Amino acid sequence: MASSKNVRTKRTPGDFIQFIALSIIAGFLTAGILIPPTVGVGVAATSSINWFKGLPEDMSEGPLSQPSRVLASDGKTELASFYSQNRTSVPLSDMSKHMQDAIISVEDRTFYEHGAVSPLGMFRAVVNNFLRPGNRQGASTLTQQYVNNLLIDQAEVNGEEASTLGANKGYMDKVKEIKLAISMEQNKSKDEILEGYLNIVNLGGSNYGVEAASQYYWGIPASKLNVQQSALLAGMVQSPNQYRPDVNPEMAKERRNVVLGTMYRDGKINEDEYNEAVNSELDLDLHYSESGCEAAGANAYFCNYIVAQVMQDKDFGATQDDRLANLYRGGYTITTTLSTSAQSDAKKAVENTQPSDNNPDDVNASLVSVEPGSGKIVAMAQNTAFGDADDTNQFSLYNYNVDAQDGGTAGFQVGSTFKPLVLAEWIKEGKGVNATIDGTKLSYPASFGWRASCVEGGNVYYKDGGPFTFQNAEGGYQTWNTVAYGLKNSINSFLYSIASQVDLCGVQETAKDLHVFTGSPGEKVAYDPKNLSGLIGAQPASPLTMASAFATFANEGTYCEPQAINEVKDRRGNTIRKFNANCEKAMDKDVANGVNYVLKQVLVDGSAWRRGIGLEDASAAKTGTTDNSTQTWTVGYTRGLSTASWVGNLNLGSRSLNNLSINGKRLDYVDGATYAGGQWQEFMQAQAKKYNTKKFNMPSEKVRGTQS
């Protein structure tokens, strides 16, 4: 078999046609069409030039691939960025003159003197590439290179293979490139083209454009690049990854010195400057720029929640692949609802409860806060760092505050924080919160019919081989007293006395109206009337779910869906979507005010009496503790802020928090007011007064009354 060196490439008619097409383009060059705009164009060329005038809009605005930025609610503080190409576009005036000189000297020394294509170089390349196909020769001007980079960028954005890249470029690709280059110079000045080129060109790894590259290699803006730094970057254009100074320093230095030689040749630097630059070291000072939520620090979990919202929203792409590509390449500006002040205080609160860097018993803690009336999430924090779990208990990929479909879990048993929903049903059915009821029973016989209108037969019976029994958390509370007394002290015997007198299907409807669903993916499941233990919070829910539900009480009965994003703009600054409050009436105002009337007593002389925030008539809360202190909660609110605080177990089943090491302490008994309450209190004391703290409205006499 003959060696490859002796194999002669066989030409086809198509090759000849493409050669002719390219030759025609080259003929236009000699007709004077590509003479710079400062030179007069002959009348004979006018009709031919019309073919070159059109420039696609997406090419006239530079690269399609732009990083997306996630901002806090102030519209200024960057929480995270997403990019496949790290790029910060800057005007030519913010690029060192040395950088401009270097790129022109090494890539296109007569850039400002010729048109879009160099005629002599074009003819030489045409003849060489047709007669010697195995030895391709390029003749691209900076304008052509800019166009070629734009074409590659478009292909990557569209998920296509870039046919204009390197050896893949055919004759017709070259024709297209030339046509677009001519169009480019018909529509843009030389300075605009140079600026575009220096903002799009790859300069090693994921660094695109001179600003991102200068920040990465030296931690300085492009305006501060000196002679040798400029020459180094200009030299990388030929083969960005081969000449990367952080990977191949010797090759990079050798290539840099070649560029310095061209600058000296062209009079851009004098002999002393040349000698000093050639003998200088690379002096790299690498500044790594991470993309995505991993680099968002204390905001990482909220960032991940934002990504989940984008990935589920068809406004950002028809498919999930489209949405992901748009997030990393579309240049979005996503302004969120997160308050930097509230987020800082939330993170402090969870770390003060159980520090993430010293968590020997793997105790989990989280806090999330929303605005009643809008649903805007102002803080979302937990006592871990975002990342793969390890033996230190310091990292987790799970967002404790949200549902599984949003990057979280199926939720945690909510304990007695479910009781206000039963109270709401009591009030809905026309019963007063100061009615006296029997709180002495810890058992109901199997024959007792719990009213449930939506169940066949209209009643639910406990069917587990005996009577339905339960316990109070503490002794001494089995007595007759008011509904409000039983709720504020979170006494189970009072709760079941209330439940025995209401329609459990009404409780289910209240749970649905407040969107209290389990956090599992798939069908949303609210309270099941057949599950009597669910009345004291056996069903799991996420902290965000509970904060939003309690915000409904603060908002006098209107539920607002959690909102994490205010607005999303595209790379051109056009609004893709503006997010507004999505609210609906969940219960009558008087019912909500009745719940507020009872729950504000929790912070005065109830189960969380130690956790007041100095707003006795303007704050309310409910604690929750599951069996054996496995999960503990405090969910509380003012008119302006509703906050769910959770301390418990993520992966360790029914393990009790009692006697575990929590911030260096071991307590015999942990309830909702202990750590979750302290965490809630710390955050609300820091933030509540920045929001609406107007007193709750008093419910009607009927709701406050003694009727049962």
Side-chain angles (χ1 to χ4, degrees), residues 290-327:
E290 294 183 74
S291 173
C293 295
E294 293 83 355
N299 306 309
Y301 294 100
F302 180 76
C303 170
N304 200 49
Y305 181 73
I306 293 294
V307 173
Q309 303 312 296
V310 170
M311 294 300 290
Q312 296 171 53
D313 194 330
K314 290 186 177 180
D315 282 348
F316 304 111
T319 68
Q320 288 203 343
D321 286 344
D322 292 338
R323 294 164 210 158
L324 189 64
N326 288 336
L327 179 63

Side-chain angles (χ1 to χ4, degrees), residues 112-324:
Y112 281 99
E113 300 167 18
H114 60 63
V117 181
S118 170
L120 291 178
M122 193 70 231
F123 274 121
R124 184 170 59 249
V126 167
V127 174
N128 178 81
N129 294 344
F130 185 74
L131 298 178
R132 302 174 62 194
N135 184 24
R136 302 187 65 81
Q137 184 181 103
S140 294
T141 62
L142 275 181
T143 305
Q144 288 175 266
Q145 291 183 46
Y146 180 37
V147 165
N148 192 52
N149 274 278
L150 287 170
L151 292 172
I152 293 171
D153 178 71
Q154 287 180 338
E156 290 178 348
V157 168
N158 296 329
E160 303 166 354
E161 183 178 354
S163 64
T164 58
L165 184 62
N168 292 330
K169 189 185 297 185
Y171 281 118
M172 295 312 293
D173 292 318
K174 196 69 176 179
V175 170
K176 180 180 181 181
E177 176 191 293
I178 294 170
K179 189 268 183 187
L180 290 172
I182 296 169
S183 300
M184 181 71 73
E185 295 224 1
Q186 291 288 329
N187 289 272
K188 287 183 175 293
S189 69
K190 288 286 190 177
D191 281 354
E192 288 174 325
I193 293 169
L194 180 60
E195 175 184 301
Y197 177 78
L198 289 173
N199 275 317
I200 193 175
V201 66
N202 179 233
L203 293 170
S206 61
N207 298 303
Y208 286 75
V210 297
E211 179 67 20
S214 58
Q215 292 287 358
Y216 173 72
Y217 293 116
W218 298 287
I220 60 173
S223 60
K224 301 296 184 182
L225 289 168
N226 61 28
V227 172
Q228 56 265 34
Q229 291 167 338
S230 299
L232 180 71
L233 295 183
M236 293 175 65
V237 168
Q238 187 179 86
S239 183
N241 290 314
Q242 181 180 3
Y243 294 123
R244 277 185 64 169
D246 54 337
V247 177
N248 298 311
E250 292 305 316
M251 292 183 67
K253 183 183 286 189
E254 183 178 340
R255 176 64 181 163
R256 178 201 69 181
N257 292 346
V258 170
V259 178
L260 289 170
T262 65
M263 295 177 73
Y264 177 53
R265 174 202 64 194
D266 295 338
K268 303 300 181 182
I269 54 176
N270 59 38
E271 186 174 0
D272 289 340
E273 290 173 318
Y274 169 77
N275 290 330
E276 181 181 355
V278 164
N279 292 310
S280 68
E281 298 300 323
L282 298 180
D283 294 327
L284 300 181
D285 181 13
L286 301 181
H287 288 67
Y288 296 94
S289 175
E290 294 183 74
S291 173
C293 295
E294 293 83 355
N299 306 309
Y301 294 100
F302 180 76
C303 170
N304 200 49
Y305 181 73
I306 293 294
V307 173
Q309 303 312 296
V310 170
M311 294 300 290
Q312 296 171 53
D313 194 330
K314 290 186 177 180
D315 282 348
F316 304 111
T319 68
Q320 288 203 343
D321 286 344
D322 292 338
R323 294 164 210 158
L324 189 64

Side-chain angles (χ1 to χ4, degrees), residues 377-628:
I377 302 169
V378 300
M380 180 181 286
Q382 66 190 58
N383 70 327
T384 58
F386 188 75
D388 292 322
D390 63 9
D391 293 338
T392 68
N393 304 321
Q394 189 173 353
F395 297 90
S396 176
L397 290 173
Y398 290 108
N399 185 340
Y400 303 159
N401 284 303
V402 302
D403 294 341
Q405 68 178 16
D406 297 318
T409 72
F412 313 101
Q413 289 185 333
V414 299
S416 294
T417 60
F418 190 82
K419 290 177 180 177
L421 280 69
V422 184
L423 173 63
E425 181 59 25
W426 173 272
I427 299 171
K428 283 181 182 179
E429 294 187 14
K431 306 175 192 297
V433 299
N434 285 313
T436 299
I437 60 174
D438 180 5
T440 65
K441 296 180 181 179
L442 296 177
S443 177
Y444 288 80
S447 61
F448 182 83
W450 302 80
R451 184 157 56 95
S453 60
C454 59
V455 175
E456 185 177 355
N459 287 287
V460 168
Y461 296 91
Y462 185 66
K463 298 178 180 179
D464 197 20
F468 175 66
T469 61
F470 51 88
Q471 297 293 324
N472 287 332
E474 298 181 50
Y477 287 98
Q478 287 174 249
T479 183
W480 284 75
N481 211 314
T482 65
V483 168
Y485 171 86
L487 259 292
K488 74 179 181 180
N489 289 298
S490 200
I491 306 168
N492 290 342
S493 57
F494 277 82
L495 183 283
Y496 280 107
S497 183
I498 296 169
S500 70
Q501 301 177 58
V502 300
D503 185 350
L504 299 189
C505 293
V507 176
Q508 181 187 59
E509 289 305 310
T510 298
K512 289 180 178 179
D513 290 341
L514 296 181
H515 294 244
V516 178
F517 302 111
T518 179
S520 301
E523 183 181 358
K524 293 183 177 180
V525 179
Y527 163 72
D528 180 1
K530 297 179 181 179
N531 180 11
L532 296 178
S533 62
L535 293 166
I536 55 173
Q539 180 171 304
S542 71
L544 180 57
T545 292
M546 299 307 293
S548 300
F550 276 52
T552 307
F553 303 137
N555 197 32
E556 294 193 308
T558 298
Y559 170 86
C560 296
E561 182 180 287
Q563 179 185 332
I565 303 173
N566 282 329
E567 185 178 43
V568 179
K569 293 184 177 181
D570 64 17
R571 60 193 292 268
R572 300 178 181 90
N574 300 318
T575 299
I576 297 174
R577 181 175 172 186
K578 185 180 286 289
F579 290 75
N580 299 308
N582 184 15
C583 303
E584 61 190 22
K585 195 68 176 176
M587 63 180 60
D588 185 78
K589 282 186 178 182
D590 207 27
V591 175
N593 286 328
V595 174
N596 298 337
Y597 174 80
V598 174
L599 295 192
K600 70 181 182 179
Q601 298 177 48
V602 172
L603 295 169
V604 177
D605 58 357
S607 62
W609 64 272
R610 296 171 296 167
R611 300 308 183 190
I613 57 174
L615 297 167
E616 285 75 13
D617 291 322
S619 59
K622 183 69 191 76
T623 58
T625 311
T626 63
D627 288 348
N628 201 29

